């Protein structure tokens, strides 16, 4: 036990020396800084949080029996289906197909992106004149509910894409393929559909408010804001009620970073952008951990042979990290690096554990900031419903349990705030369908 404590302390000191220790992240202070960025974003002032108004309201009744085409463009997959709701609000998902996300298998042009997307839509394009499009990338939404792309992230490579109107471009590509019928399209982010899908999954529950949170390939947050507080809308902010806000929290730039964070950031497709996402999400987890392990090897935290094998790792994925966490002595890349050396296995584990601990703290202050800003969740009998989506939350060996611990110690015990995490089935498809039907 004493030896394990020494190894854990060694790993902890290494992370602290590089500014990456979880315990150095003051949760309340960081929540307050996050709130400041949210408020500046809502005013239209300079902020690393875009705070994108969605022009989406979800207060109406879902129409029964009306079929809608739905699209879900995520970090890896491009999913297409049709959805129809019955009188009780239950969804039926039909005509489902899953395709590779254009731009994930080599760089393409924006014209090729739209043409490929239109090709994917062809089997269902005549089944409805409405399209609900879940588009999981930073996009400025307009009052007509189309969106202009800010940039692709998650290592999707599409040349000439910045500034493109996604709905317009897709509909033009559909017409170019001979489909002349007029279509309406409502563009929403995956954090938005996650929130909507979660609300639809619990029609008989009493919640104080709703949050959609993505912790997977990327990360993002959506919440319900009083329209009058979105002052950058100008006169439109005078409308009573609420509007869903796409925070684009992956772009948050004020979280404490270490020198290895900066070093890894410099190797990514968009250096200096989406720094929060790079510290907590699955698309970047492998690269971040590899950067830390290589530096740890240079500083002698591993035996010489293990250090050489770590240095020779050309890449590392989030799956390979979890393969090691579940089977430290199994057949996987990191276990092979350690070569069965007990102390090296433990050192490697504690370094990964420290980075996951920090990620959980970041998510905790992100959620706390939303609840503190909106004043929701003070009543444990009426908690905030947090619909979680993403492989990092559900598949990582460490992340979910660590966030649960901070929910109890920080949100419940320190702040007196309460939330309930729920999982919604197919939230992107169902959320996009509801958004498209209620807001076309």
């Amino acid at each position: 036990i004493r030896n394990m404590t020494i190894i854990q302390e060694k790993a902890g000191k290494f992370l602290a020396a590089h500014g990456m220790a979880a315990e150095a992240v003051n949760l309340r202070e960081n929540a307050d800084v996050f709130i400041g960025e949210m408020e500046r974003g809502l005013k239209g002032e300079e902020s690393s949080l875009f705070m994108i108004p969605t022009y989406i309201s979800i207060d109406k009744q879902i129409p029964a029996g009306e079929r809608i085409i739905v699209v879900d463009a995520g970090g890896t997959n491009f999913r297409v289906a049709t959805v129809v709701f019955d009188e009780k609000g239950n969804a039926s998902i039909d005509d489902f197909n899953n395709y590779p996300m254009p731009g994930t298998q080599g760089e393409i042009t924006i014209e090729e992106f739209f043409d490929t997307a239109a090709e994917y839509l062809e089997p269902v394009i005549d089944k409805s004149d409405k399209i609900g499009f879940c588009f999981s990338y930073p996009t400025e939404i307009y009052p007509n509910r189309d969106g202009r792309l800010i940039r692709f992230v998650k290592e999707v490579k599409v040349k000439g894409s910045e500034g493109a109107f996604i709905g317009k471009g897709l509909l033009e590509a559909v017409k170019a393929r001979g489909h002349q019928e007029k279509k309406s399209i409502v563009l929403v982010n995956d954090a938005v559909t996650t929130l909507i899908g979660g609300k639809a999954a619990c029609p008989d529950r009493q919640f104080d408010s709703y949050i959609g949170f993505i912790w997977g390939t990327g990360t993002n947050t959506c919440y319900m804001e009083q329209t009058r507080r979105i002052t950058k809308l100008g006169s439109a902010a005078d409308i009573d009620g609420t509007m869903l806000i796409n925070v684009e929290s992956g772009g948050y730039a004020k979280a404490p970073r270490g020198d290895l964070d900066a070093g890894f950031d410099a190797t990514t497709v968009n250096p200096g952008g989406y720094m929060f996402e790079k510290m907590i999400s699955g698309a970047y987890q492998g690269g971040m951990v590899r950067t830390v392990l290589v530096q740890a090897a240079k500083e002698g935290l591993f035996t010489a042979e293990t250090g050489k094998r770590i240095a020779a790792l050309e890449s590392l994925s989030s799956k390979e990290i979890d393969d090691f966490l579940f089977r430290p002595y199994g057949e996987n890349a990191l276990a092979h690096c350690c070569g069965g050396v007990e102390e090296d296995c433990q050192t490697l584990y504690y370094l990964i554990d420290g980075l996951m601990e920090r990620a959980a703290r970041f998510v905790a202050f992100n959620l706390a900031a939303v609840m503190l800003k909106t004043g929701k969740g003070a009543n444990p009998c009426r908690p905030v419903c947090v619909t979680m989506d993403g492989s990092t939350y559900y598949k990582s060996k460490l992340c979910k349990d660590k966030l649960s611990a901070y929910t109890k110690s920080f949100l419940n015990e320190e702040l007196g705030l309460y939330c309930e995490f729920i999982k919604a089935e197919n939230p992107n498809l169902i959320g996009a369908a509801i958004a498209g039907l209620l807001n076309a």
Side-chain angles (χ1 to χ4, degrees), residues 314-358:
E314 292 185 4
S315 64
L316 191 64
S317 69
S318 58
K319 182 183 182 302
E320 287 172 321
I321 292 167
D322 267 318
D323 286 344
F324 170 78
L325 293 175
F326 280 109
R327 299 174 182 82
Y329 308 103
E331 291 296 321
N332 57 75
L334 291 177
H336 173 72
C337 286
C338 294
V341 178
E342 193 77 37
E343 185 170 328
D344 286 345
C345 283
Q346 292 173 22
T347 300
L348 204 156
Y349 188 98
Y350 284 128
L351 287 171
I352 295 171
D353 183 80
L355 292 173
M356 301 305 174
E357 190 80 25
R358 186 182 67 156

Side-chain angles (χ1 to χ4, degrees), residues 265-283:
D265 177 34
T267 71
T268 60
V269 169
N270 58 332
Y274 274 63
M275 291 183 281
F276 196 64
E277 186 163 88
K278 290 169 185 172
M279 292 190 281
I280 72 172
S281 72

Side-chain angles (χ1 to χ4, degrees), residues 66 232 259 268:
E66 182 177 358
K232 66 182 175 183
D259 59 348
T268 60

